[in-house]
Amino acid sequence: MNNWKTKNNKHFLKTICTLINIAANSAPRRDLLLNQGVFQPLLKVVDEALSDENNINEDDVKFGTFAISNLCKGTPAPQISFVKAAIPTLFNVLYCLNDEGIPSEEDREKNEKTLAAATSALCHLTASKETLDLVFSCEKALPTLLNLFT
């Protein structure tokens, strides 16, 4: 996956967009993608895009977060065993794209949809008692949520 990404980022992002569309509003298609192992590579894309605080790859974060969000929601809910690994990544998105990490109002507004996708996914994930312990084990979880709230 990374080899193709470095060769042609435009096609890589379109592939992520295709995954977003496949997973949107269809639990059977979402589950098919989860069963095919697409989730861990998406988490890696977002984590790597956020790894350099001075040079965040906003497109990879945005499209990866939208795809992760679509894979974390739906009725019936996805198996927690597939999607619980997203919790640290989603909190990292919130932390890195929140006011503290983004210098200008224009940049914050540009990231608003990505933040909304991350919080939407976390809302779905925290509906399960199984994932609440994971939320509280993330160092940045509560401070980040409280900072968004206040």
Side-chain angles (χ1 to χ4, degrees), residues 7-120:
K7 290 178 184 173
N8 194 332
N9 197 48
K10 181 178 176 182
H11 294 305
F12 180 76
L13 291 176
K14 286 184 179 183
T15 301
I16 293 177
C17 287
T18 301
L19 294 173
I20 294 168
N21 293 338
I22 290 170
N25 303 315
S26 173
R29 289 183 290 187
R30 175 208 62 211
D31 292 344
L32 176 68
L33 289 174
L34 290 171
N35 284 318
Q36 292 298 313
V38 73
F39 205 65
Q40 288 301 327
L42 280 171
L43 295 177
K44 186 176 179 182
V45 165
V46 175
D47 288 336
E48 287 179 358
L50 292 168
S51 65
D52 181 359
E53 291 180 20
N54 297 319
N55 190 24
I56 293 175
N57 185 327
E58 293 178 13
D59 284 340
D60 284 4
V61 173
K62 177 172 73 173
F63 292 113
T65 301
F66 289 155
I68 291 166
S69 180
N70 280 352
L71 291 166
C72 288
K73 56 188 177 183
T75 305
Q79 290 181 20
I80 292 300
S81 60
F82 280 120
V83 295
K84 67 183 179 182
I87 291 171
T89 297
L90 293 167
F91 275 114
N92 200 25
V93 169
L94 295 180
Y95 179 79
C96 290
L97 298 185
N98 194 14
D99 291 3
E100 292 178 18
I102 303 298
S104 72
E105 184 68 30
E106 180 182 329
D107 287 338
R108 284 192 292 277
E109 288 176 14
K110 188 167 64 171
N111 290 316
E112 190 65 32
K113 289 182 181 180
T114 306
L115 291 169
T119 55
S120 174

